Amino acid sequence: MQVNGTRMLRVKAVAAMYDVSPATIYRAIEAGHLIALKLGSGRALRVPETALPAYEESRQVSAREAGPVGGGSDD
């Protein structure tokens, strides 16, 4: 689906792109990390493809803030 030339993606498709669950994408939308639009009177959400670069940046920032994986110390 396209709106004004912008591809609109289903939550499930976005989740597949990032190899995460749809619930993770819904949480990102709820937290304001990812823009989504409600369509019609139902609960259908679509993510504009143009919103993905900002979401990718927020994921990278979160990963940097989380620190190294493993939790080991360098003592």
Side-chain angles (χ1 to χ4, degrees), residues 30-67:
E30 195 171 303
H33 298 294
L34 181 61
I35 295 169
L37 305 171
K38 277 190 177 180
L39 298 182
S41 60
R43 294 176 24 151
L45 287 176
R46 296 294 184 267
V47 177
E49 190 173 42
T50 56
L52 297 180
Y55 176 61
E56 291 171 11
E57 178 63 27
S58 74
R59 285 172 43 103
Q60 291 173 358
V61 168
S62 295
R64 285 194 298 263
E65 290 174 352

Side-chain angles (χ1 to χ4, degrees), residues 1-18 34-37 39 45-53:
M1 164 184 245
Q2 288 192 6
V3 175
N4 296 330
T6 299
R7 265 180 66 194
M8 303 299 284
L9 306 169
R10 295 175 184 260
V11 169
K12 189 173 180 179
V14 175
M17 289 171 66
Y18 292 102
L34 181 61
I35 295 169
L37 305 171
L39 298 182
L45 287 176
R46 296 294 184 267
V47 177
E49 190 173 42
T50 56
L52 297 180

